[in-house]
Each structure stands twice: as structure tokens, then as C-alpha cells.
């Protein structure tokens, strides 16, 4: 089978120096097994999610994403753009959708990009890594390399907002997407399909600006996971992973809880199931250690 190649946009939250470096470690391990080659977009910049939160204006935000698209078009012709971060995927895809349907906005952006010798065409598909796995590899293909099934681990699939709204994964329900449940099942674990908080917002950047509001959201996500018997939560989003994991101590104090729930990426589950060590799966980067995954990885 030929290696599948993609123009890869890491984004700030998934790159090696970021807090979610364990995500990138596990993605690389997973992709090695699946014969996927990620060709990093040279000199990429932030997707401008922070500018959006700060009300920095539409044109600057779309221009930053358009620059990444234009570089990809120039350096990786014929390769779909793939992001692992939900915010990066959403922002980049939104820019492409908005810009290509507005001749005036496209002209303004290309006028700005021309100073850097770039031009955006806007014809490349913008895809999240989970779309690549589901659509290009397929669930049967994802199951074949499993060497160490994650036997009997009960996992709540927390999709969050950004991979679900407004675009979503093709063929999935906006209210009850099933792809994480299917991925959990593929690696031999037990998906908690009645988990009712899978598309609840984690609060996003409110965790910094209005933490009390975010804590209410995160508490709902964790409480439901515990109520359904989850031993860990899995997500495709770095912001969701961070918020639901790192604020558990604060939420325990605020709501008189005793949460200590591991929150992992789908790629960490798959890397371990494919035979990776705990380090290769990035498990040493989790704040709340996923000990059951570490035990399987060590066998």
C-alpha cells in the first residue's frame, strides 16, 4: 500500500513545544503504523483563534489562515491540508469557506499576501486528522494493526464543540456523533455510547477569562463520565483535553468532588493498541496518568 501524504498544519497547541506535545508524539506513532506521512507546512503561523477571541477583526484572522493555505498550495500541491487541532481545523476551514465565496474578501487577502509573494486559490480540502482516519483508512483498516487490545477499559468519547459544529464529520449526527465510540471499540475498549455530554462545550478560552463559567461546563462533562462508569475520557481536541484534565483539582474544591479522571487523545489509544510504548504514545505527558494504558503499553 502506498504511503498516504498530507500537507500538515500542526498549529500552536499541537506542536512539539506546546502543552499538547504528547498529542503530536502519539499522532506520529499512530501515523507510522498506518503509513501516513505528514509534510509540515513550512513557516506556518497561528490560526488566529486568539485574535478571534480578542475581537481583532475578520480580515486579520482570515489573512493569517489564508497565508497557511497559500503556502501549502505552493509547497505541497495535490496534498489535502490536515490539522490535528480542532480550533486550527475549524479556523482554517472557515476561512476557506468564507473567502472562496467572497470575491471581494479573496481580492483583499491576496493583495495582502502578494507582499510575501503568495496567492491563495482556496481549492484544497481542509481536514481534521479523524476525517483522514475514518475516510481514507476506514474503520476496518484502523482495526487491522491492533496488537494490544485495550480490553475492558470503559471510555467516554468526548467530542466537544469544534469538530462537531458547524461543519462536523461527514455522515455524523451533530447531536450524537459516534466516531469516537467506534474508535474506542476498534481498539478493544468499551465505548459508553449513552454518555450524554459528548458535544458539550468545555468552556474553551473562558477557562482563562471567566473560569467559574468554564468550571461549570467541565464539571458536567466529568460528572456524566463518572455516572456512566467511565475510567477515562477520550477527545480529538487539545483545548478540550487541557480543560477537562488540568482543572480537575480546582473543580474538586469548588464542587466538593473527587475527580481524578485521565483524559487522553484518540491517537494515544490507537498508538498503545498498535504496540507503542507509553513514551511513544505520549502518556508521560498526561498530568493525570492513564495507568491502565501504561500497563498495557508495558506488556
Amino acid at each position: 500500500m502506498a504511503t498516504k501524504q498530507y500537507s500538515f498544519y500542526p498549529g500552536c497547541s499541537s506542536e512539539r513545544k506546546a502543552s499538547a506535545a504528547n498529542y503530536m508524539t502519539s499522532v506520529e506513532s499512530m501515523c507510522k503504523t498506518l503509513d501516513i506521512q505528514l509534510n509540515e507546512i513550512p513557516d506556518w503561523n497561528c490560526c488566529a483563534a486568539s485574535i478571534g477571541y480578542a475581537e481583532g477583526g475578520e480580515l486579520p484572522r482570515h489573512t493569517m489562515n489564508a497565508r497557511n493555505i497559500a503556502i501549502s498550495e505552493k509547497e505541497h500541491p495535490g496534498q489535502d491540508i490536515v490539522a490535528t487541532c480542532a480550533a486550527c481545523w475549524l479556523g482554517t476551514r472557515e476561512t476557506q469557506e468564507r473567502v472562496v465565496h467572497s470575491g471581494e474578501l479573496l481580492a483583499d487577502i491576496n493583495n495582502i499576501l502578494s507582499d510575501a509573494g503568495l496567492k491563495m486559490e482556496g481549492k484544497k480540502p481542509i481536514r481534521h486528522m479523524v476525517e483522514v482516519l475514518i475516510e481514507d483508512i476506514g474503520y476496518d483498516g484502523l482495526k487491522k494493526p491492533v496488537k494490544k487490545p485495550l480490553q475492558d477499559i470503559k471510555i467516554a468519547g468526548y467530542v466537544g464543540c469544534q469538530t462537531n459544529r458547524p461543519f462536523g464529520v461527514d455522515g455524523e449526527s451533530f447531536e450524537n456523533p459516534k466516531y469516537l465510540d467506534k474508535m474506542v471499540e476498534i481498539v478493544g475498549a468499551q465505548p459508553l455510547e449513552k454518555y450524554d455530554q459528548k458535544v458539550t462545550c468545555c468552556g474553551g478560552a473562558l477557562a482563562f477569562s471567566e473560569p467559574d463559567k468554564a468550571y461549570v461546563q467541565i464539571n458536567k462533562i466529568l460528572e456524566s463520565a463518572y455516572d456512566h462508569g467511565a475510567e477515562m475520557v477520550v477527545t480529538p481536541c487539545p483545548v478540550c483535553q487541557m480543560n477537562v484534565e488540568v482543572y480537575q483539582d480546582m473543580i474538586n474544591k469548588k464542587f466538593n468532588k473527587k475527580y481524578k479522571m485521565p483524559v487522553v487523545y484518540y491517537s494515544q489509544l490507537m498508538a498503545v493498541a498498535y504496540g507503542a510504548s507509553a513514551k511513544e504514545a505520549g502518556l508521560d505527558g498526561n498530568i493525570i496518568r492513564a495507568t491502565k494504558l501504561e500497563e498495557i503499553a508495558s506488556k
Side-chain angles (χ1 to χ4, degrees), residues 24 40 101 130 153 156 188-189 211 226 234 245 258:
M24 200 59 239
E40 188 170 319
H101 289 95
V130 295
I153 303 177
Y226 270 97
V234 63
E245 181 186 52
K258 295 181 180 179

Side-chain angles (χ1 to χ4, degrees), residues 194-197 219-229:
K194 293 184 179 179
Y195 174 60
D196 57 2
Q197 295 293 313
N219 181 54
K220 290 178 181 177
I221 293 160
L222 288 166
E223 187 172 54
S224 179
Y226 270 97
D227 286 348
H228 284 83

Side-chain angles (χ1 to χ4, degrees), residues 120-139:
M120 175 186 166
E121 297 288 343
K123 296 178 181 178
K124 279 192 173 197
I126 314 293
R127 306 171 70 191
H128 192 283
M129 176 58 73
V130 295
E131 293 181 289
V132 168
L133 297 178
I134 295 165
E135 296 167 5
D136 295 2
I137 308 297
Y139 292 115

